[in-house]
Structure formats: structure tokens, C-alpha cells
């Protein structure tokens, strides 16, 4: 998928004034945020489970190469074919080759963010294959030729009315407005396509080293369809998704659905190992697994390695005040919200996503809710530092910060400068005591006023207070 | 050098490791996998049968008990009549010998088709903590029977009820070693909330799941 993160500010401005999007985002907070809170209250040792989940992911990352080899050995022993893809382009090439080898024409897909990274659908269509997305949300997006705006609820930005219009136009059937009827219509359109598909393409929430299995969690049942009915199954996922054992899966499954959709368990958890056995009446005859790097190894061994613990639950975006205000599209790539603000610069280039590490208030809501304890604000700060070091920030900002840095190292000068600045701001603020606009800070004052400082600076007050306390004998 | 070797090489280099894993590293990984240590579980201070029933209902499935496996067909027929559903079903070969005909049902044991309306399956075991059925694929337990029909009826024995997913894995390892091609954990009828976050039952899989527990 193309990266449009450089237009973050322009897009965000539009999204802020889109009433339909704003209403949709409010609903998300109600359902996913409250749902998560209610469901984690069911676990009386929630923090222990969370620590254990983070440890499971860290353990896998600490010996990533060994667990991947273990996975590969066990998957191969069960008859799966394991492929390795270094880049997004490799993924597309490998999947096209698999399709060609098995004489595939029709492909049914279940939701996979890794294939969004690669733009796999476009590549398959360009190669002449018929591809249908079967997750309801992704199906809607495919019809509308749009991208997902949330990693769990891809179509959260669209209203029922828009879906009604879209279905009426594309399905050529009477317009329906009831959500259950719309869902039924999609079911009836997609059922024959599941049955006719030669190849099913899925992601994998996890790879299990112990057994060589891939695992997907779904609610709709489409993931089960595409791993059961077509004669070829291709599972595509990042190399970081490996976990050692089935016990580790049990730990992670207590957290993923709760944080993802506010469910104690998802409808389906499907663990697939190898191809169809002899005498079985269903299941794919060929099972391929594509393990994708595409930037992941670049995070290993760096300050950003904890990001690879991510289990793609979406809780960080659901709780992020920035995401809650602008939705997912402004982030400009596959992954929105705080996790996206770390992943997009990391996978798609720091210089292509200059605003993303700043698209956060660093309020740490994301860090507090992340089920695998990824310190997201800290990682965003690291990226900001990298931008500064690589001179990717605007000259004015760099100069300003350098100047501030130099002054801050001289306490007397700093105190003097702060006093002057407070005086000037108080003077600009006038009788209203509000600053309406400031040079170099137009972005900040564009949407709000800055209260003008009153009286002394903090340092002055602090110094005075210390002195009075000392006099009264409070501090020795 | 293959893509595989380059990726594995990059991983090791990034983590400051020698190009080839040491025997020690291998031992650490092998012993962790070998130990299969369960993580922390929440307090499981409930009666499994009570909890299972409660969770099944919370997941929008329906539930009933029967005294013996031979009673299951009658219970299934009664359920289908009550819901005004057809009395024709596709069924797991494993359950083909039950007295279906006597109960007034027409049951076929074959691979499920896209237009089957009722599917009858057993379950390998069920997890009380979450109200989840664990289904294993196999020649006598095909996966599509619990997926394609609009109504899924699962018949399971009460002595196959376990507490947690950890217990379910332990049972599977003890009884058959490795997992079969497909292990499907099923927790209620298929659902979606993709449009306006409004929960709708019956997305691509069953609209209804009815659990019959044989005491
Ligand atoms: S960063 Fe944490 S909260 Fe965000 S999607 Fe990943 S696991 Fe979930």
C-alpha cells in the first residue's frame, strides 16, 4: 500500500470536521473501550496474565531465529510448504507463483493486515486472478475501493447509509437499510464465492513453533471458510508472530479478544497444521505459509524492538485521543493510531512519515492499555529523537530547540529569558489576558488562545517558596 | 544465499549473535518448548458444568441437558421443531449410529454442502471458562459440518468438559500427541459488528448454535 503519511496534517484537518466520521468514532469509544474495561474485570489476576503475555512475546523475540526454524521444521514435517519473503514485493511474487503452480483462478481472502502492507490484492489482480475479500468490512472496502481505517474494525469510518448505497449500486438489488439485512445480503453474495474459490488467503495471528501451526481468530466464520473449502491455503504473516507453545497461546487468548473487540473469547479460534489428511472430506490439499520480514528485522536489537511484541489488538488506537478525533485514514498507511505511528516510520521510512511520531499527546493511555505492555510513548519519543538527529525536522524547529538547549544549560540566563518572555506575553495578552496569535506558533494558536502568563515565573515562585519554608523551619 | 538464510542471518546480526546458534541457545529453546509450562490462570472457583452453561448462554447459543446419548436425537428433533427449522440435517459420521430416524429426523452422513440448513456434530471437548467447543477435523469429524449450515447442533458428553484452554491442549497431547489438520474453537453463532459497530448474528457461519450436553 502506498504511504500518504506526509499529508497527515491536511487530512487530519478534513477529518476533524467530518460529522459522520466523528459520530462513528464516538461509538467506537463506547463499544471497544467500555468492552475492554468490562472484560478485563473478569480476570482477577489480569496484571499477572499481562506480564506473562509480554514475557511470551519477549521470549519469542529473544530467540526469534531459533523459534522460526523450529516452526519451519514442524510445519514442514506436517506437509506445509514454508516460504520466506524479505520484502512486500517478494510476498506478492511468491503468492502469484503459488497460484500459478496450482492452476488457481479464483481466490477468497480473509482479513490480513500484512497483505495490506504488500498491496497483494492489486498484484494478484494485475496477474489476472479474481480476488474477493470476505471479511464483511474488508468486502465493503473492496467494493468501495477504499483502505481500512482500523486494524480490527476496518470500516468503522463508514455509515450504514453509505453501505446501503454501495450495496444497492454494486449488487443491483433493492436498497436495504437494516444492518442485519445488509449482512445477509453480503452472506448470500459471498457464499458461492467461498464454494468456488480455488485458493484461500489468510493472515495468521500467531505461528506456533511447537507444532508448526498457524492460528487465526475470527468472528464471522470467513476465516474458517477459506481455510476449509478451497484446495489451496496460503497463510501470510510477519516473522515476529511466532510463539513457542500451545500454552502460550492460551495465555495470549485471554487478552487478545478482550482488548480487540471487548469479547472474552472470539467466536472462532482456528489452529491449522499441515494439509488435508488421507480420508478427510474437507481441508486444503496444499498448505503454504509465507513468513514476511519487510522491515521487521530492522527493529530487532534497537530501542524499538518492544514494538514487535504487538498482537494487533487495536486497543492503543481505541484509547488514543488523537485517533478518537481523526480516525485512521489520516495516518496514511496500513496501521493507524499509536502503534501505526511507530510502525509506519519504521517500515515505510522515517522521512515518509515525519508527522506521525508527533501525532500523539504522549498521554500514555496507549501504554496503559497495551496488553503486551509496549511503552508506546517512549518509542514515539525515540523516533522524535531520531528525526532530530537525522536532521529531518524543519530548520526553524531545529534552530529553536538548539537555542533553547543552549539557554537551558545556563540557569541564570534561563531565568532571565523566562522572565522577559513572561513579561512580553503578558503585554501581548493585554487586558484580555489571552494571546491570539504568536510568530512560529501559528499551528498552536490557530485553533485556540494561549492564556498569557500572570505575575512571576515558576522558578521565581519556587525559589521564594523554598525560602519561606526554610525560614519557618519546614525544610532542613 | 536464500531469502530464508538472509532473514535468519539479519535476525542474528541485529541481536549481536554469532552467525550460527550455539548448542546453549538451542538447549534454552528446546527446554522451554519441552516444558510447556502453563501461564497464570484466573481463579477458577466455579463448578465447570454450571460455568459452561452460563457462558454458552452468554455467547447467544442455546443449551440443554439429556440423560443419555440415545436421547440426543429426540432432543434435537424437539429443538428443530420448536424453532420451525427443517428436520433434515447433515451429520458427523461419528454420530451416524444414533436413532435419528426414530426421532423423526432425516440425517445424512456426508460432507456438508453450501445449502445444508442443519449440521449436527460432536465435540472433542469443551472449555468451561469461556463456554467454548473444541472441534477437531478428521475423516469422521469433518470441519464444514459446523460451518456451512445455518444451524449448528453440537452434542457432547459431560465428561469431556475441561476447565481451561490449557486443559484442552493437555488432553489433546495426552490422547493424540499432535493437533490434527484443523482445531476449531467455537464460541457461539458467527457474528459481525463491522457495520456501525452493531452486533449481528449469522455472518458467514451459523446463525444458531445449540449445545446438547449428555450427562
Ligand atoms: S501496540 Fe499494544 S495495544 Fe496497540 S495494537 Fe499492538 S498490542 Fe494492541
Amino acid at each position: 500500500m502506498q504511504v500518504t503519511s506526509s499529508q497527515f496534517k491536511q487530512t487530519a484537518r478534513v477529518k476533524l470536521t467530518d460529522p459522520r466520521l466523528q459520530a462513528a468514532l464516538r461509538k467506537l469509544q463506547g463499544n471497544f473501550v467500555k468492552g475492554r474495561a468490562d472484560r478485563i474485570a473478569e480476570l482477577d489476576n489480569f496484571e499477572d496474565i499481562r506480564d506473562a503475555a509480554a514475557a511470551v512475546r519477549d521470549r519469542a523475540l529473544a530467540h526469534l531465529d531459533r523459534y522460526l526454524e523450529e516452526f519451519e521444521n514442524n510445519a514442514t514435517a506436517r506437509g506445509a510448504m514454508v516460504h520466506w519473503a524479505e520484502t512486500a514485493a517478494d510476498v506478492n511474487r511468491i503468492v502469484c507463483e503459488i497460484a500459478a503452480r496450482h492452476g488457481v483462478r479464483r481466490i477468497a481472502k480473509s482479513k490480513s493486515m500484512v497483505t495490506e502492507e504488500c498491496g497483494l490484492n492489486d498484484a494478484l489482480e494485475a496477474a489476472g486472478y479474481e480476488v474477493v475479500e470476505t471479511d464483511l468490512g474488508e468486502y465493503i472496502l473492496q467494493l468501495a475501493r477504499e483502505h481500512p481505517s482500523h486494524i480490527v474494525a476496518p470500516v468503522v469510518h463508514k455509515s450504514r447509509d453509505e453501505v446501503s448505497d454501495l450495496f444497492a449500486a454494486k449488487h443491483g438489488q433493492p436498497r436495504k437499510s437494516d444492518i442485519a439485512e445488509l449482512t445477509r445480503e453480503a452472506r448470500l453474495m459471498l457464499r458461492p464465492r467461498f464454494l468456488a474459490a480455488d485458493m484461500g488467503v489468510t493472515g495468521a495471528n500467531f505461528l506456533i513453533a511447537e507444532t508448526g501451526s498457524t492460528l487465526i481468530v475470527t468472528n464471522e466464520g470467513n476465516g474458517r471458510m477459506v481455510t476449509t473449502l478451497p484446495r489451496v491455503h496460503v497463510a501470510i504473516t510477519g516473522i515476529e508472530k511466532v510463539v513457542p507453545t500451545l500454552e502460550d497461546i492460551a495465555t495470549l487468548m485471554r487478552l487478545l479478544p478482550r482488548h480487540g473487540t471487548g469479547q472474552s473469547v472470539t467466536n472462532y479460534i482456528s489452529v491449522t497444521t499441515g494439509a488435508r489428511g488421507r480420508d478427510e472430506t474437507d481441508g486444503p490439499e496444499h498448505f503454504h505459509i509465507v513468513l514476511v520480514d519487510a522491515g521487521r528485522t530492522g527493529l530487532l536489537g534497537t530501542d524499538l524492538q518492544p514494538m514487535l511484541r504487538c498482537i494487533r489488538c487495536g486497543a492503543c488506537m481505541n484509547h488514543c485521543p488523537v485517533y478518537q478525533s481523526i480516525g485512521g485514514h489520516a495516518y496514511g498507511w496500513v496501521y493507524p493510531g499509536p502503534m501505526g505511528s511507530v510502525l509506519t516510520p519504521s517500515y515505510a521510512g522515517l522521512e515518509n512519515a515525519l508527522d506521525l511520531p508527533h501525532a500523539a499527546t504522549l498521554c500514555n493511555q496507549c501504554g496503559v492499555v497495551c496488553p503486551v505492555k509496549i511503552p508506546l510513548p517512549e518509542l514515539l519519543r525515540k523516533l522524535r529523537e531520531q528525526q532530530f538527529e537525522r536532521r529531518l525536522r524543519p530548520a526553524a524547529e531545529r534552530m529553536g530547540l538548539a537555542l533553547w538547549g543552549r539557554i537551558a544549560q545556563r540557569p541564570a540566563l534561563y531565568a532571565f529569558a523566562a522572565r522577559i518572555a513572561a513579561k512580553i506575553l503578558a503585554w501581548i495578552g493585554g487586558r484580555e489576558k489571552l494571546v491570539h496569535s504568536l510568530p512560529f506558533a501559528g499551528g498552536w494558536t490557530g485553533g485556540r488562545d494561549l492564556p498569557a502568563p500572570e505575575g512571576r515565573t515558576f522558578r521565581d515562585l519556587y525559589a521564594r517558596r523554598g525560602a519561606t519554608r526554610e525560614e519557618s523551619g519546614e525544610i532542613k | 544465499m536464500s531469502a530464508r538464510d538472509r532473514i535468519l542471518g539479519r535476525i542474528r546480526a541485529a541481536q549481536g549473535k554469532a552467525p550460527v546458534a550455539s548448542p546453549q541457545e538451542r538447549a534454552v529453546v528446546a527446554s522451554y518448548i519441552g516444558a510447556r509450562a502453563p501461564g497464570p490462570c484466573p481463579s477458577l472457583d466455579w463448578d465447570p458444568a454450571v460455568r459452561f452453561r452460563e457462558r454458552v448462554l452468554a455467547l447467544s447459543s442455546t443449551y440443554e441437558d439429556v440423560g443419555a446419548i440415545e436421547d440426543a436425537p429426540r432432543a434435537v428433533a424437539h429443538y428443530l421443531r420448536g424453532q420451525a427449522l427443517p428436520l433434515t440435517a447433515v451429520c458427523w459420521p461419528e454420530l451416524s449410529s444414533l436413532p435419528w430416524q426414530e426421532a423423526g429426523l432425516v440425517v445424512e452422513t456426508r460432507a456438508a454442502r453450501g445449502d445444508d440448513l442443519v449440521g449436527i456434530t460432536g465435540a472433542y471437548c469443551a472449555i468451561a471458562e469461556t463456554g467454548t467447543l473444541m472441534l477437531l477435523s478428521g475423516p469422521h469429524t469433518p470441519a464444514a459440518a459446523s460451518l456451512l449450515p445455518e444451524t449448528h447442533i453440537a452434542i457432547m458428553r459431560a465428561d469431556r468438559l475441561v476447565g481451561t484452554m490449557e486443559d484442552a491442549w493437555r488432553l489433546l497431547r495426552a490422547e493424540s500427541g499432535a493437533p490434527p489438520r484443523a482445531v476449531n474453537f467455537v464460541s457461539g453463532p458467527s457474528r459481525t459488528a463491522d457495520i456501525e459497530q452493531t452486533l449481528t448474528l449469522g455472518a458467514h457461519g451459523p446463525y444458531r448454535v445449540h449445545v446438547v450436553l449428555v450427562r
Side-chain angles (χ1 to χ4, degrees):
Chain A
M1 181 178 159
Q2 222 178 347
V3 189
T4 57
S5 309
S6 57
Q7 288 139 42
F8 177 80
K9 283 184 184 161
Q10 294 94 303
T11 321
R13 207 164 289 142
V14 177
K15 301 289 175 192
L16 278 168
T17 55
D18 177 345
R20 272 212 275 213
L21 177 70
Q22 294 299 326
L25 291 169
R26 269 194 299 279
K27 245 189 184 168
L28 188 72
Q29 291 169 51
N31 290 336
F32 285 0
V33 171
K34 181 167 184 306
R36 170 191 170 273
D38 292 347
R39 294 288 86 75
I40 66 168
E42 296 167 348
L43 303 171
D44 54 354
N45 61 343
F46 168 64
E47 285 300 334
D48 294 346
I49 297 174
R50 197 168 166 234
D51 285 336
V56 164
R57 300 294 299 125
D58 272 342
R59 194 173 296 116
L61 295 173
H63 296 283
L64 186 57
D65 58 310
R66 284 301 309 139
Y67 283 115
L68 284 171
E69 284 188 71
E70 197 69 39
F71 171 80
E72 184 187 37
N73 289 339
N74 292 322
T76 311
R78 289 292 299 269
M81 280 269 296
V82 178
H83 309 257
W84 300 74
E86 294 187 84
T87 62
D90 289 349
V91 174
N92 296 345
R93 179 180 47 77
I94 290 168
V95 179
C96 285
E97 282 170 9
I98 294 170
R101 187 187 324 163
H102 296 297
V104 164
R105 268 186 48 223
R106 285 175 289 241
I107 300 172
K109 270 189 78 207
S110 80
K111 193 160 91 63
S112 145
M113 300 314 281
V114 175
T115 63
E116 293 279 347
E117 284 180 41
C118 307
L120 177 65
N121 290 4
D122 290 344
L124 286 170
E125 276 168 11
Y129 299 104
E130 190 188 306
V131 189
V132 63
E133 289 284 354
T134 62
D135 170 83
L136 178 59
E138 293 283 345
Y139 174 66
I140 292 169
L141 293 178
Q142 191 184 26
L143 289 182
R145 299 227 141 260
E146 285 179 25
H147 291 293
S149 70
H150 190 286
I151 61 169
V152 173
V155 68
V156 59
H157 59 281
K158 267 194 147 21
S159 70
R160 168 202 334 216
D161 278 347
E162 288 171 282
V163 177
S164 298
D165 292 343
L166 182 72
F167 277 13
K170 300 278 177 177
H171 294 163
Q173 295 194 3
R175 188 179 187 280
K176 304 185 178 60
S177 55
D178 179 62
I179 290 178
E181 280 177 33
L182 289 166
T183 306
R184 172 121 192 131
E185 185 171 311
R187 176 189 173 104
L188 296 176
M189 297 303 291
L190 286 169
R191 182 53 75 97
R193 308 195 67 173
F194 285 121
L195 295 166
D198 307 301
M199 182 163 113
V201 173
T202 68
N205 294 85
F206 297 107
L207 304 165
I208 305 157
E210 172 196 356
T211 54
S213 317
T214 64
L215 176 148
I216 53 174
V217 298
T218 61
N219 276 311
E220 297 184 1
N222 61 319
R224 286 190 62 195
M225 296 275 182
V226 303
T227 57
T228 306
L229 303 174
R231 57 190 168 83
V232 184
H233 171 203
V234 184
I236 304 167
T237 200
I239 49 171
E240 82 282 17
K241 291 294 176 60
V242 70
V243 299
T245 66
L246 294 169
E247 276 69 15
D248 294 337
I249 290 297
T251 297
L252 292 165
M253 284 304 131
R254 287 203 178 84
L255 299 184
L256 178 56
R258 288 186 164 86
H259 288 76
T261 47
Q263 291 173 284
S264 7
V265 61
T266 44
N267 242 76
Y268 303 113
I269 301 169
S270 304
V271 179
T272 44
T273 316
R276 179 195 291 207
R278 238 190 299 154
D279 305 331
E280 268 193 276
T281 53
D282 51 24
E285 291 150 27
H286 307 279
F287 183 23
H288 295 268
I289 302 165
V290 185
L291 303 178
V292 185
D293 181 348
R296 278 128 179 110
T297 46
L299 298 187
L300 282 173
T302 74
D303 290 333
L304 300 178
Q305 177 170 317
M307 192 61 227
L308 295 174
R309 293 205 289 259
C310 178
I311 59 173
R312 304 288 192 268
C313 71
C316 56
M317 58 201 75
N318 300 338
H319 291 76
C320 172
V322 177
Y323 182 94
Q324 285 168 0
S325 313
I326 61 172
H329 281 153
Y331 292 83
W333 200 50
V334 183
Y335 301 108
M339 55 87 83
S341 295
V342 177
L343 286 179
T344 305
S346 305
Y347 292 175
L350 194 55
E351 60 286 349
N352 295 322
L354 283 180
D355 288 324
L356 293 192
H358 302 266
T361 63
L362 302 187
C363 67
N364 198 30
Q365 268 294 306
C366 50
V368 169
V369 298
C370 176
V372 286
K373 303 184 97 164
I374 299 172
L376 289 153
E378 208 177 289
L379 303 187
L380 290 169
R381 241 187 320 249
K382 293 274 189 259
L383 285 167
R384 291 182 185 184
E385 279 170 30
Q386 282 181 24
Q387 287 186 341
F388 188 78
E389 280 156 16
R390 286 180 48 194
R391 304 176 140 261
L392 291 170
R393 299 304 304 166
E397 183 183 314
R398 272 186 287 130
M399 268 158 47
L401 276 173
L403 182 68
W404 180 85
R406 230 166 286 145
I407 299 176
Q409 281 166 21
R410 295 174 180 74
L413 181 59
Y414 191 87
F416 176 71
R419 234 174 277 142
I420 301 280
K423 289 242 166 65
I424 295 175
L425 284 176
W427 175 72
I428 302 178
R431 216 179 302 152
E432 244 186 333
K433 300 194 173 158
L434 287 174
V435 180
H436 300 306
S437 77
L438 263 186
F440 308 117
W444 205 93
T445 51
R448 65 214 130 174
D449 293 329
L450 177 73
E454 288 186 57
R456 289 174 220 279
T457 66
F458 173 77
R459 289 170 58 95
D460 284 343
L461 290 173
Y462 191 77
R464 261 182 71 103
R465 208 163 106 188
T468 5
R469 283 207 189 156
E470 234 166 86
E471 274 162 33
S472 60
E474 261 184 62
I475 304 176
K476 287 278 138 42
Chain B
M1 214 192 218
S2 64
R4 172 189 186 276
D5 295 344
R6 279 192 298 272
I7 292 174
L8 293 174
R10 268 203 298 278
I11 294 173
R12 297 193 59 82
Q15 296 182 325
K17 294 176 184 161
V20 178
S22 66
Q24 222 172 348
E25 273 179 73
R26 288 170 187 277
V28 168
V29 166
S31 89
Y32 181 77
I33 291 182
R36 289 160 184 153
C41 283
S43 301
L44 309 171
D45 49 2
W46 25 255
D47 172 69
V50 174
R51 168 80 175 200
F52 178 66
R53 179 174 182 277
E54 179 195 300
R55 295 313 306 163
V56 162
L57 296 175
L59 294 166
S60 313
S61 299
T62 47
Y63 173 95
E64 74 182 295
D65 288 332
V66 295
I69 185 84
E70 292 72 35
D71 301 335
R74 227 177 318 124
V76 170
H78 184 253
Y79 165 78
L80 290 173
R81 285 202 187 93
Q83 300 282 316
L85 291 168
L87 298 174
T88 314
V90 59
C91 168
W92 271 6
E94 194 184 84
L95 299 170
S96 59
S97 61
L98 291 180
W100 298 110
Q101 225 178 332
E102 281 168 40
L105 295 173
V106 180
V107 160
E108 294 178 43
T109 49
R110 51 163 171 79
R113 291 191 297 250
D115 55 356
D116 281 320
L117 291 174
V118 179
I120 302 172
T121 76
Y124 176 71
C125 72
I127 300 169
E129 181 185 353
T130 48
T132 300
L133 303 166
M134 183 185 191
L135 309 183
L136 306 186
S137 69
H140 301 289
T141 58
S146 61
L147 179 64
L148 289 171
E150 293 191 356
T151 303
H152 171 208
I153 299 172
I155 301 168
M156 64 158 291
R157 289 186 358 225
D159 61 3
R160 301 298 288 180
L161 203 51
V162 300
T164 63
M165 187 187 272
E166 284 87 341
D167 297 334
W169 293 132
R170 212 171 294 134
L171 190 65
L172 179 66
R173 275 203 202 97
E175 292 183 348
S176 42
R181 182 190 64 76
V183 178
N184 282 300
F185 293 95
V186 175
S187 305
S190 79
R191 65 196 64 202
T192 179
D194 272 351
I195 305 177
E196 292 197 349
Q197 310 251 306
T198 305
L199 183 69
T200 311
L201 293 183
H204 295 300
Y207 283 83
R208 308 161 204 93
V209 174
H210 184 60
V211 178
V212 179
L213 193 81
V214 183
R215 290 264 171 205

